[in-house]
């Protein structure tokens, strides 16, 4: 593989939750990868389309007005730090939860489908938080239930 080759497939859109940290995804656009697949949160990252000119911007605005599902905004590059499972875990969790709530409000995640909200939270938990989450037996994961289990 070349050093200049893309490291990721996609972009993909999350269409359904398949398990605690597993999602069914569909390819969006002409990127590399299969059209439909499933993946875990440890292999996902936010994707932001590049808007090259005003013409493309106008086309997206027209698509939204006609009722099409178009992603217009991206996640900011920085978000809350991973959940720290060291030292004073209770205080670390309270701060993490507050940072996530602010981040979700700023990125309008609370308006996204439940599966997207859960995926973003699991991504923000970080590797150790995700390992902890995987020990939970949650049938219908939501941001609220995940926070309840973590508390």
């Amino acid at each position: 593989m070349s050093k200049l080759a893309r490291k990721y497939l996609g972009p993909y859109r999350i269409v359904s939750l398949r398990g605690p940290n597993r999602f069914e995804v569909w390819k969006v656009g002409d990127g590399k990868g299969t059209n439909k697949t499933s993946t875990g949160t440890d292999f996902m990252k936010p994707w932001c389309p590049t808007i090259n000119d005003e013409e493309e911007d106008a086309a997206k605005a027209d698509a939204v007005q006609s009722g099409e599902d178009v992603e217009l905004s991206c996640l900011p590059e920085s978000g809350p730090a991973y959940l720290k499972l060291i030292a004073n875990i209770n205080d670390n969790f309270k701060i993490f939860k507050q940072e996530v709530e602010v981040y979700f409000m700023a990125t309008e995640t609370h308006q996204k489908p439940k599966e997207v909200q859960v995926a973003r939270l699991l991504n923000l938990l970080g590797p150790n938080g995700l390992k902890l989450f995987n020990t939970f037996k949650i049938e219908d994961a939501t941001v609220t239930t995940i926070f309840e289990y973590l508390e």
Side-chain angles (χ1 to χ4, degrees), residues 82-138:
Y82 291 149
L83 176 60
K84 295 176 184 156
L85 298 174
I86 56 171
N88 191 337
I89 296 174
N90 193 33
D91 285 347
N92 291 342
F93 173 73
K94 286 178 184 177
I95 291 169
F96 173 78
K97 182 178 178 184
Q98 185 178 17
E99 288 177 348
V100 168
E101 288 169 345
V102 169
Y103 180 73
F104 276 22
M105 183 64 70
T107 59
E108 299 179 344
T109 297
H110 61 287
Q111 296 177 358
K112 303 284 184 187
K114 177 184 79 167
E115 294 83 8
V116 173
Q117 294 177 28
V118 168
R120 287 190 182 165
L121 176 57
L122 295 178
N123 184 267
L124 294 171
L125 282 175
N128 291 329
L130 192 56
K131 286 178 189 174
L132 177 61
F133 170 79
N134 288 335
T135 66
F136 303 152
K137 304 293 184 230
I138 303 176

